[in-house]
């Protein structure tokens, strides 16, 4: 059995009488593409030795919509709705990265109020996205009720975005030069109230799941990604921070208004198990929500009256050249590589998606895990297939 | 910063011919010879510049110059730097794909990135452990992000772009047609031709009476 010697299970295996003559073989199991634990249409081909994974091969592309090809035939404003549809759980952050890249090429000045609104919606979106993670991850591991709690609060954010932009998931709200619509004082007060209740709620949620004995034993020591491996694969976001390395683009390469704000970067500590396990990644996300709330409070204190749209010409033509700009999204770093040939359409638009990178780590993490632990690992890296396949 | 890197590359790798470039706006880049790419990456990774992560491999097609450009965007988490490294390859044709040495042995993250570049632009990465398509089906033909790409007509006996599902000219946004000019707004103008071979169901007995 090649798989045995590869992954070192042969020493532990008890050989019963007569079993040495049995013909054993690896069993191939397809997880997905329609499987609730893969969060979308990911297909993982698993070669298993009884319950232990010997090899996991991800097959992608079930949600491939040729976004990059489409963008070559759209003008620069027309691309924004397409970016929404990549990571549909964090559409605001997707728009923000793209818009920042275009604005940097155009050297557009964005009104301060617009920047504040962008920061508020992006951080709210980060909370909504992490709440989604919290709920679905608990479901993956067999707990149903946290999902309902998480969705109550997420619902507030989606309703607020609906008031702001007219849509619940795919907003097209952040535009080149500013934002589409101004935020009202009433809405700001609502957000302020939400921040007050949310801090308490998050603590409650954490006790409900994070300290639960079953949850800890399912996630601690499981799916360990250490710093070396994270660098090797180019992992970013909570996966990298979960491995104990402090790296947040909002701190390290600040964009927008982020250099103004005071917040911490939570990193994994190996509190319940070893550094870089599933529990660390979970814990990083939970603590990140508190930091997002901090940023939102500072925004609410600092926001000032003014216009929300800067001066942008009707037809946007980017100067010749190219740009690669990374922003910190809920799932990791999102990069846009835009190549412009001076016309009103991008010559090439390449999206660096963090989820795509994280899926590519699966074959390296999976060997030796139990199948149920693989589910826990996939859940903890929190992929959205829309962003993986684009 | 870039001039320092260029000096370093030219000093370390013979014949790399590194040179910086920049457009009218945006980021600057470093262009190197394609044959020396692997050595350049190796030198950049194992030095004080410490480019410990490969962010993305992004290919661009330039049919007018008969070239394909591959951008390797490297980043260093320790020095907080970022670098666009470019190589230009002859575009080749379907039988002879453009070739460049794979960097998977330096960064494991290059595995999927190079597969995507192969899938979309048909760049062959020599020495890649598992060079398959990643986003398109494994038996797809053609390289979609090339500028002269024409989609295949049939895939597994299915028509890829059936005429009745494509955007007809008269329904396209901004098309100058009579219903847009306001001559007639009747619903009749929005009718779409039925798919070839489509037969309207015969009216049943009850509806006749």
């Amino acid at each position: 059995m090649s798989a045995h010697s590869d992954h070192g299970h042969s020493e532990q295996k008890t050989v019963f009488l007569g079993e040495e003559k049995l013909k054993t073989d690896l069993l191939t199991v397809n997880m997905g593409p329609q499987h609730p634990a893969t969060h979308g249409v990911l297909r993982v081909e698993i070669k298993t030795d009884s319950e232990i994974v010997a090899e996991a091969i991800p097959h992608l592309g079930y949600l491939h919509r040729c976004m990059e090809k489409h963008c070559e035939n759209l003008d620069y404003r027309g691309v924004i709705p397409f970016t929404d549809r990549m990571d549909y759980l964090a559409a605001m952050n997707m728009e923000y990265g793209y818009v920042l890249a275009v604005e940097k090429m155009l050297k557009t000045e964005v009104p301060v109020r617009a920047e504040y609104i962008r920061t508020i919606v992006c951080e709210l979106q980060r909370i909504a996205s992490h709440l989604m993670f919290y709920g679905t991850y608990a479901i993956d591991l067999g707990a149903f009720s946290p999902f309902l709690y998480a969705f109550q609060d997420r619902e507030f954010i989606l309703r607020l975005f609906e008031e702001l932009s007219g849509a619940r998931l795919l907003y097209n709200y952040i535009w080149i030069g500013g934002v589409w619509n101004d935020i009202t004082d009433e809405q700001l007060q609502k957000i302020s109230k939400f921040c007050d209740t949310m801090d308490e709620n998050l603590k409650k949620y954490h006790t409900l799941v994070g300290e639960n004995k079953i949850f800890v034993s399912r996630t601690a020591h499981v799916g360990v990604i250490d710093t070396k491996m994270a660098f090797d694969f180019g992992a970013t976001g909570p996966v990298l921070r979960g491995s104990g390395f402090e790296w947040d683009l909002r701190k390290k390469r600040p964009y927008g208004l982020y250099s103004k704000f005071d917040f911490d970067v939570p990193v994994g500590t190996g509190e319940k198990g070893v550094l870089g396990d599933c529990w660390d990644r979970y814990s990083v996300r939970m603590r990140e929500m508190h930091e997002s709330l901090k940023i939102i409070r500072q925004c609410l204190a600092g926001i000032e009256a003014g216009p929300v749209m800067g001066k942008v010409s009707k037809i946007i033509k980017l100067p010749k050249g190219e740009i690669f700009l990374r922003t910190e999204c809920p799932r990791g770093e999102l990069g846009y590589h835009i190549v412009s040939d001076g016309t009103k359409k991008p010559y090439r638009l390449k999206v660096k998606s963090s989820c795509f990178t994280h899926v590519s780590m699966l074959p390296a993490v999976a060997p030796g895990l139990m199948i149920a632990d693989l589910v826990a690992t996939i859940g903890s890296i929190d992929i959205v297939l829309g962003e993986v396949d684009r | 910063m870039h001039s320092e890197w260029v000096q370093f590359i030219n000093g370390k790798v013979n014949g790399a011919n590194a040179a910086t470039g920049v457009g009218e706006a945006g980021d600057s880049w470093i262009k190197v010879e394609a044959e020396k790419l692997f050595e350049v990456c190796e030198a950049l990774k194992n030095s004080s510049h410490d480019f410990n992560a490969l962010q993305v491999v992004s290919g661009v097609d330039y049919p007018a110059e008969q070239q394909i450009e591959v951008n390797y965007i490297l980043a260093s988490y320790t020095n907080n730097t970022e670098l666009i490294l470019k190589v230009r390859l002859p575009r080749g044709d379907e039988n002879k794909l453009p070739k460049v040495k794979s960097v998977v042995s330096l960064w494991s993250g290059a595995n999927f990135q190079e597969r995507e570049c192969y899938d979309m632009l048909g760049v062959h990465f020599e020495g890649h452990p598992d060079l398959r398509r990643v986003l398109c089906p494994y038996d797809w033909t053609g390289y979609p992000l090339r500028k002269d790409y024409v989609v295949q007509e049939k895939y597994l006996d299915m028509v890829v772009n059936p005429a009745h599902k494509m955007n007809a000219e008269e329904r396209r946004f901004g098309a100058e047609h009579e219903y847009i000019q306001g001559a007639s707004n009747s619903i009749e103008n929005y009718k779409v031709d039925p798919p070839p071979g489509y037969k309207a169901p015969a009216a049943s007995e009850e509806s006749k009476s």
Side-chain angles (χ1 to χ4, degrees):
Chain A
M1 288 296 300
S2 62
H4 280 179
S5 50
D6 283 355
H7 306 297
H9 297 299
S10 51
E11 293 87 1
Q12 301 153 16
K13 198 181 171 194
T14 321
V15 180
F16 295 103
L17 197 64
E19 204 190 41
E20 67 268 24
K21 282 181 192 165
L22 279 179
K23 281 184 185 169
T24 57
D25 209 348
L26 291 185
L27 177 71
T28 306
V29 182
N30 270 309
M31 195 162 103
Q34 303 296 336
H35 190 279
T38 56
H39 297 264
V41 281
L42 172 67
R43 178 178 145 220
V44 187
E45 189 186 334
I46 315 170
K47 302 238 162 70
T48 61
D49 176 19
S50 66
E51 188 73 2
I52 291 160
V53 178
E55 200 181 353
I57 310 159
H59 295 273
L60 314 177
Y62 289 88
L63 207 57
H64 181 48
R65 293 151 297 177
C66 331
M67 194 212 112
E68 289 169 8
K69 186 78 177 173
H70 277 302
C71 291
E72 289 175 7
N73 297 309
L74 294 163
D75 58 6
Y76 283 99
R77 280 194 185 90
V79 172
I80 300 175
F82 280 73
T83 62
D84 280 339
R85 280 148 182 83
M86 286 194 303
D87 184 350
Y88 38 80
L89 296 179
M92 287 287 188
N93 300 68
M94 296 280 131
E95 290 169 10
Y96 193 28
Y98 169 74
V99 165
L100 272 177
V102 174
E103 279 168 0
K104 201 176 167 193
M105 286 286 269
L106 286 172
K107 302 192 177 74
T108 314
E109 277 189 25
V110 183
V112 187
R113 187 178 173 83
E115 281 288 6
Y116 269 111
I117 297 174
R118 284 174 178 190
T119 317
I120 292 173
V121 292
C122 281
E123 292 307 320
L124 280 175
Q125 183 78 88
R126 192 183 305 276
I127 294 172
S129 169
H130 283 349
L131 281 174
M132 184 79 182
F133 159 80
Y134 167 82
T136 52
Y137 195 43
I139 284 193
D140 282 352
L141 300 180
F144 184 71
S145 45
F147 185 74
L148 302 175
Y149 284 106
F151 265 52
Q152 272 180 351
D153 289 321
R154 185 168 174 268
E155 190 60 27
F156 167 83
I157 297 172
L158 295 192
R159 289 218 172 133
L160 185 97
F161 285 167
E162 193 180 6
E163 274 180 36
L164 264 180
S165 68
R168 279 168 61 84
L169 276 178
L170 310 163
Y171 312 105
N172 193 8
Y173 178 65
I174 298 177
W175 280 7
I176 296 164
V179 293
W180 171 60
N181 193 5
D182 199 358
I183 197 165
T184 61
D185 290 344
E186 206 179 309
Q187 284 158 346
L188 289 175
Q189 275 167 13
K190 264 192 208 171
I191 297 171
S192 165
K193 262 186 205 166
F194 171 75
C195 288
D196 295 339
T197 53
M198 197 60 200
D199 251 341
E200 287 307 307
N201 281 355
L202 282 175
K203 276 173 204 158
K204 199 168 74 189
Y205 297 165
H206 178 66
T207 1
L208 185 66
V209 168
E211 305 292 335
N212 183 305
K213 204 179 170 192
I214 303 170
F215 181 81
V216 172
S217 56
R218 284 293 306 276
T219 53
H221 299 285
V222 170
V224 180
I225 297 172
D226 56 8
T227 319
K228 194 169 164 255
M229 187 174 164
F231 283 173
D232 193 21
F233 279 91
T236 49
V239 178
L240 179 62
R241 287 194 283 276
S243 73
F245 187 76
E246 192 184 327
W247 178 270
D248 191 322
L249 282 179
R250 292 173 294 169
K251 276 269 190 221
K252 299 281 178 180
R253 298 169 90 88
Y255 52 92
L257 292 176
Y258 281 111
S259 52
K260 277 188 182 180
F261 303 129
D262 171 42
F263 62 100
D264 300 322
V265 180
V267 291
T269 49
E271 193 184 327
K272 302 280 177 190
V274 285
L275 192 61
D277 58 9
C278 292
W279 197 89
D280 270 348
R281 290 193 281 280
Y282 157 82
S283 146
V284 164
R285 290 203 178 86
M286 293 308 277
R287 282 181 282 156
E288 253 180 42
M289 285 196 263
H290 286 288
E291 302 304 322
S292 291
L293 288 173
K294 258 192 214 172
I295 297 173
I296 294 170
R297 279 204 199 92
Q298 289 170 51
C299 282
L300 293 176
I303 193 167
E304 48 200 60
V308 291
M309 198 67 190
K311 276 183 185 165
V312 187
S313 61
K314 263 193 172 171
I315 294 172
I316 293 175
K317 281 186 181 173
L318 254 59
K320 263 189 179 181
E322 57 187 82
I323 190 166
F324 181 70
L325 192 122
R326 291 184 280 163
T327 53
E328 187 76 34
C329 285
R331 284 171 187 78
E333 286 172 15
L334 173 81
Y336 285 97
H337 181 220
I338 304 176
V339 180
S340 159
D341 58 349
T343 57
K344 57 181 183 178
K345 294 172 183 172
Y347 187 75
R348 171 87 165 94
L349 190 145
K350 163 84 187 166
V351 186
K352 186 257 157 177
S353 130
S354 52
C355 296
F356 187 72
T357 311
H358 295 159
V359 169
S360 77
M361 300 174 83
L362 271 186
V365 184
L369 293 176
M370 308 280 269
I371 293 180
D373 290 347
L374 184 66
V375 173
T377 310
I378 294 176
S380 79
I381 60 176
D382 192 20
I383 45 172
V384 162
L385 266 295
E387 197 192 335
V388 174
D389 293 344
R390 280 158 281 143
Chain B
M1 207 62 186
H2 276 69
S3 55
E4 194 186 313
W5 289 331
V6 165
Q7 266 185 10
F8 170 78
I9 294 170
N10 282 334
K12 200 93 175 175
V13 184
N14 230 346
N17 289 336
T20 53
V22 66
E24 290 162 19
D27 295 339
S28 50
W29 60 78
I30 293 179
K31 202 172 153 186
V32 295
E33 293 291 326
E35 295 84 47
K36 297 288 174 189
L37 174 86
F38 186 82
E39 284 88 342
V40 171
C41 288
E42 200 175 19
L44 283 171
K45 192 195 169 197
N46 304 322
S47 68
S48 60
H49 300 300
D50 200 17
F51 282 100
N52 43 17
L54 177 77
Q55 288 283 326
V56 68
V57 176
S58 140
V60 189
D61 185 20
Y62 291 99
E65 295 147 57
Q66 281 296 309
Q67 279 177 330
I68 282 186
E69 186 180 83
V70 186
N71 297 288
Y72 292 78
I73 300 174
L74 316 179
S76 165
Y77 289 127
T78 43
N79 299 340
N80 196 0
T81 47
E82 193 178 279
L83 165 65
I84 304 180
L85 200 66
K86 275 180 192 294
V87 293
R88 286 264 182 149
L89 311 167
R91 198 156 171 269
D93 50 33
E94 280 189 9
N95 302 318
K96 202 181 156 207
L97 296 177
K99 270 184 187 170
V100 67
K101 200 173 170 187
S102 164
V103 292
V104 176
S105 51
L106 297 175
W107 299 285
S108 307
N111 188 330
F112 270 45
Q113 296 292 346
E114 285 180 351
R115 271 176 72 183
E116 194 190 332
C117 192
Y118 163 73
D119 187 1
M120 291 297 160
L121 285 133
V123 180
H124 184 86
F125 292 92
E126 286 174 302
H128 190 285
D130 180 25
L131 197 63
R132 285 177 297 147
R133 287 178 180 271
V134 61
L135 294 180
C136 292
Y138 296 124
D139 47 357
W140 196 255
T141 52
Y143 302 104
L145 280 178
R146 291 198 177 194
K147 296 282 175 186
D148 56 358
Y149 170 73
V150 181
V151 72
Q152 65 197 63
E153 263 179 27
K154 280 197 165 183
Y155 173 69
L156 300 178
D157 288 340
M158 293 178 282
V159 182
V160 174
N161 286 330
H164 66 282
K165 282 190 180 173
M166 298 306 290
N167 268 357
E169 192 60 43
E170 68 270 16
R171 285 187 295 156
R172 205 166 274 166
F173 179 72
E176 290 173 2
H177 256 262
E178 52 177 26
Y179 67 83
I180 287 181
Q181 288 165 355
S184 154
N185 258 337
S186 108
I187 192 77
E188 295 297 310
N189 285 324
Y190 291 91
K191 264 193 178 169
V192 187
D193 291 336
Y198 173 81
K199 276 179 198 162
S204 64
E205 291 297 313
E206 290 169 32
S207 63
K208 270 180 189 169
S209 62

